[in-house]
Amino acid sequence: MRNIGVIGGSGLYEIEGLTGIDEVTLDTPFGAPSDSYVVGRLGDARMVFLPRHGRGHRIAPTRSTTAPTSTA
């Protein structure tokens, strides 16, 4: 099975043909991502979608959601 990962913006919240939809909330060593991951099937592929600004655009494009990892 193929795996597809998409980080996208508005217009991709309702992906035509995406079935078996589930939401997965994860935390990472760098902090929480912008939103929950939307996981489903698109044809014969497993697809994971992450809205880059969070649903409803609650994170401005210029706002970082994590602390800097370097002081260089």
Side-chain angles (χ1 to χ4, degrees):
M1 176 186 334
R2 296 179 304 148
N3 291 301
I4 301 170
V6 177
I7 300 172
S10 60
L12 287 179
Y13 298 123
E14 306 261 341
I15 300 170
E16 186 176 333
L18 190 64
T19 61
I21 298 170
D22 194 16
E23 289 191 23
V24 178
T25 302
L26 298 175
D27 200 13
T28 75
F30 306 101
S34 57
D35 208 324
S36 296
Y37 294 89
V38 176
V39 180
R41 303 256 326 176
L42 187 60
D44 65 347
R46 177 177 181 251
M47 182 174 175
V48 179
F49 170 69
L50 177 65
R52 70 177 173 245
H53 301 297
R55 276 174 257 203
H57 287 245
R58 61 182 200 286
I59 301 171
T62 56
R63 188 176 145 239
S64 173
T65 59
T66 61
T69 57
S70 173
T71 58

